[in-house]
Amino acid sequence: MGKNISITINGKKIEVPQGTTILEAAEKATFHIPTLCYHKDLCVAGNCRVCVVEQVGNQRLLASCATPAEENMNIITNSLKVRNARRHIIQLLLAEHKSDCTKCYKNGNCELQKIAADLRILDQEFTELKTWKAFTVDKHSPSIIKDDSKCIRCQRCVRTCAELQGVNALSVSGKGSKMHISTFMEKSMVDVVCTNCGQCVNHCPTGALVEKNYIEEVWMALADPEKHVVVQTAPAVRVGLGEEMGAKPGTRVTGKMVSALKQLGFDAVLDTDFTADLTIMEEGTELLNRLKMFLANGDKNVKLPLLTSCSPGWIKYLEHMYPEQLDNLSTCKSPQQMFGALAKTYYANAKKIDPESIVSVSIMPCTAKKFEAERPEMHDSGYRDVDYVLTTRELAIMIKQAGIELLQLEDSKYDSLMGDSTGAGVIFGATGGVMEAALRTAYEIVTGREVPFKNLNIEPVRGIEGVRSASVIIENALPGWDFLNGVELKCAIAHGLVNAKNIMDKVKAGEADFHFIEIMACPGGCLGGGGQPIPTNPEIRRKRTEAIYEEDEQMTIRKSHENPEVLKIYKDYLKEPLGEKSHHLLHTKYTPRDRY
Amino acid sequence: MESYHLKRIDFIFKNENDWKDVLSRALASDKQLILNELMESELKGRGGAGFPTGLKWKLTADEKSDEKHIICNADEGEPGTFKDREILTQVPFKVLVGMAICGYVIGALKGFIYLRGEYTFLMPELEKAIKEFEYYCKEINFKFSIKIFLGSGAYICGEETALFESMEGKRGEPRNKPPFPTKNGYLGKPTVVNNVETLAHTYTIFKYGAKQFYDLGVQYSRGTKLFSVSGDTPKAGIYELELGMTLEQFVDDFGDGDTKAVQVGGASGFLVPRKLFSQTIIGFKGKLEGHSLPTGGSMMLFNSSRSMFNVLSNYLYFFHEESCGQCTPCRVGCQVLLNGINEVKKGERSTLYLDKLLQLTETMKQTAKCGLGQSVANSFSSIVENFKEEMIY
Ligand SMILES: Cc1cc2nc3c(=O)[nH]c(=O)nc-3n(C[C@H](O)[C@H](O)[C@H](O)COP(=O)(O)O)c2cc1C
Ligand code: SF4
C-alpha cells in the first residue's frame, strides 16, 4: 500500500490509505452515506448517484463511491445542497418505479424504500412516468421472478452475474428512457444461460429480482389432513435464518428452527445433513473407484478429476458451458434430491405411509434447488421426489406469517428417520466443506486412521480465496488400497462460478492434475447462497462460515461414515454405496445445453 | 451583393500539399519544444469542453506506460454540427499529421479515428489517405499506424470514456472520472482524445508557429474555430471565424433579419435570446467582459416563426433518447423534464412546476455522471427562463 492521505469529512479530519474512496473514508469517520448501486461484493458503478457529497469549493457534487479521497479534500456529506440533490434523485427513482410497496414481495427489505423512509420523502414531487407499464413480469423460471417495473437500473444484478458468476445471463440493453436490464434476445430467464443461482436476487436492492415463492402451496399442504408433510433443512439455513429475525449474522438457530417448523405443522422435521453424509459415502466411493481404475488398473479413460455435484447452479453452468466435461461430474444427486427420493421410498416404507400422500418440502439456502426439483430426472421414487423448495427467506416469511417468535423458542431435536447428522454433513454449507467431509471419510476408509489434522479440522481446504488447492499423501494404506500408497491426492476447491470457470478452463486444457474438485456456485458456498437472507457481503459470509464450523465442532459425531442412520440405511435398505438401489435412487445423469 | 462583417479566415481548409514536410520537420524537433509551442498557442479543444490541448498532451506524455494511444474523435454527434466531416473529406492529411505528431510527443505508436457510423461513406477515401500516410511514415522510419473504428450510432459514444468502452467492445457508457483518460484511457492506457478540428489546428500551429494562431481571437479564446451555421439563415454552411466575436456581430452577418434567438453549441449548449446578443461572446470561459459561451461550433439560428417550446421539446426528446441511461439524474431527469413541459403546456400542472423542473436541472448539472446529463440544464434553463410565456401559452 502507498502512503496515507488526510481528508476532512464534516469537519472531522481522518487519515486513510491512498486509494480509499470518499465513501469508505466517511464510513471510517462514522458518517453514513446512503447508496444504491454500490455493493461490497461488486466493482464500483457510480450510476445511481445517491451517494453524492459536496467538496467545498467544487460546483459539482461527487459520487462518493467512485471518487478516491485526495489529500486535503474537504467533504460535507449532508449539506443543504447534498440533501436537495439526494432528495431529487430518490424522487426521480420513485417517479420511474412502480411504487406499490404494500403489495411488493420485498416490502420491508427494499433499499429504495428504506432510503425513501430515512429521508422521509412524503410527496411525489415529479409526475410519475408510468413507463413501467410497458414491462411484463417474467414468471417462467422455476427459481427467479424478474419484474422490471421494480428495477432502478443500478446494474448490481448485471455486475453480479458477470463478476461473481461469469455467466452473463443478464445485460443492459436499450439506451435513454428505454434502458433496461435484459437477457439474450429479451428471452425469459428460463430460456437463457441463467443457472438459477439467485445471486442476482441476493444483490438486488429492490423487488425487481426475487425468488419464485411456493409459500401458499406449502401452507395448503400443511392444512390438508390427508397429507404427510416432511421437511428437510439444508446445513446453511441454520446459520442464516436468524438474520431474518433480527439476530446478528453468524447466529446459529438450529434447534429453534426445528421448533418453529414443528409449530408450523410439518409432520416430520428432518435434516438434509443426513443425505449430505450419504453423499459422502456415495461420492467418496465413486472417487475411490475412479482412482482405483486409474491408478491400479491403468485405465487412462477414467474421467478425472471428479467434480462434485451438490450445487445445482454449478451443474447447470457446466451443462451450458462445458458440456464436454459432464462425464467428470459425480453422478451423485445433490443431498436435497437424495433426500427426496428416499423420503417417498425408504422413509415411507419404514413409517408405513403411502408415498402418494407424502408432500416433500425442503428449506434451502438456494434458488437453483427449485429448478433442480423440477428436473424431469428427479422422479426416481415414482413420484416427484421433492415437491416444494423454499428458500431460507421464504421460511422466514412463513414464520412471521404464523406469528412465531423464532428467537424466543426452545430448541427441539430433529425427528428420525433421516434426521441424524454429523459435523461432516453440516460443513457442506461452507465452501471446502464437501472436500473436508470427503477427506475425513475417504482417508479413514483407505488408511484406517483419522485424517492427520488437529481436531479433524482440515484447515488447508478452508478459507475464502476463490480457488484453493490442497493435497494429502497416502501412506500405510490398508490392504486392498495399496495402489494408493505414496500417492499425493490432489484436490481443489472453487466457489462462485467465475472461479469455477478459472479452474474448468485449466481442466479443459489438461493443465490441472487434480483428482477431486469441489465446486459451489455461490460465493462462500451454500451459506452465501441465492436463497439466504439479504443483505450479503464478505463480512456477513465470514460470520456465517464461523458459525458453520462452530456447529461442526460441537457435534459429537463429525464423520459421515459414523452417522448411525447412514449405517442403518446401508444395512437395512441400500446395502452398499453405489449398489443397485443407490444407483437407482441416489444417482442421476446430466443434459448438455446450449451456450446462449 | 454579400456584405461581410466578420473576417473569413482560411487556415483549416487551405489546400497545402506540404504535409510531409510538416511531419518530417516536427519529428526532427524536440518533443518538449513541440509541447511548448502547443501550450503557447493556447489552443483549446474544439470538441466542446475546451480543455487546453497542450496540457492534455503533456499530461499524457508524462505518464509512464508501455502503451499509449491517440484517438481522433470523429463521432460528431452534436445536433447542428457538421464541420468534422468536411475536414476529413477535404484535408484529411492535416488530421493524420496532427495525430502522428501527438503520437510522437506522447509516445503512442497507434492512432485511432473513431468515426461516426453515419459517416461510413467517408471510409474509402479516408482509408486511402491513411495508406498513403502510413507508407510515408514507413519511408521516413517513423513507427506509427492509424486505424479507423466505426461507431454505431449513439450520440453518447462521442463522450471520450464512453468512446473507450465502445472501442473495447462494450456498451457505450461513460466511466467514472477520475481516473482521467490521460492516465487511464483506451484499454486502461494513457490516451489523448482530440476532436478532428483540434488536430487540424495543431497542423496550423506546427506549420506556422504558435504566434500566428495566438494572434487571432481574444484572451482565453485564441485562434479560429469552425462554425456549423444552420437554421433560419440565408448562409447555412461551415465558416472559419475568429473566436471572441459577440453574438450580435455574428447575427448581423448570418441572420435573416428576424433572428429571435441562437442556440450556441447544439443541444447541449445554450439558447441566447436577442436581448442578450450584444453581451454574449463566443469563446471559452474566462474573465472576459460579458457572458462567454463555449461551443463545439454549432450555431443554430431561429427566427420569429419558431416556437421555443418546440425547440426545447426537440432537445429534450433527443436527450431522453440519447442518454446512455445508466445514471438516475440523466435517465429519469430527461423524461421528467420532457413530460413536465408538456404537462405545463396542457395545463395539467401549474406553471410553478417549471420552477421545480429548473431546480431539477440544477441537480442534474451537479450530479449526472457525464457531460450529457450535466449539460441538459443549459438548454433547459436558458429556454425556460428566457421564453417562459412560450412554455405556458
Ligand atoms: C455527450 C457527449 C458527446 C460528445 N460528443 C463529441 C463528439 O461527437 N466529438 C468530439 O470531438 N467530442 C465530443 N465530446 C467531447 C469529448 O468527450 C472530448 O471532450 C473531446 O473529444 C476532447 O477533444 P478536444 O479536447 O479536442 O475537444 C462529447 C462529450 C459529451 C459529454
Ligand atoms: S449523464 Fe446521461 S449519458 Fe451521462 S452517464 Fe449519466 S445517463 Fe449516461
Side-chain angles (χ1 to χ4, degrees), chain A residues 53-65:
Chain A
V53 294
E54 181 170 353
Q55 178 187 21
V56 176
N58 192 339
Q59 270 289 305
R60 253 191 246 127
L61 299 173
L62 305 176
S64 60
C65 73

Side-chain angles (χ1 to χ4, degrees), chain A residues 84-85 87 119 121 239 271 288 291 296 306 343 358 371 430 435 456 467 492 500 530-531 553 559 583:
Chain A
N84 279 340
R87 192 189 75 243
L119 302 186
I121 306 269
V239 299
D271 202 350
L288 292 173
L291 287 173
L306 180 69
I358 293 184
F371 165 80
M435 182 60 64
L456 294 177
V467 177
E553 291 236 27
K559 295 177 277 189
H583 185 78

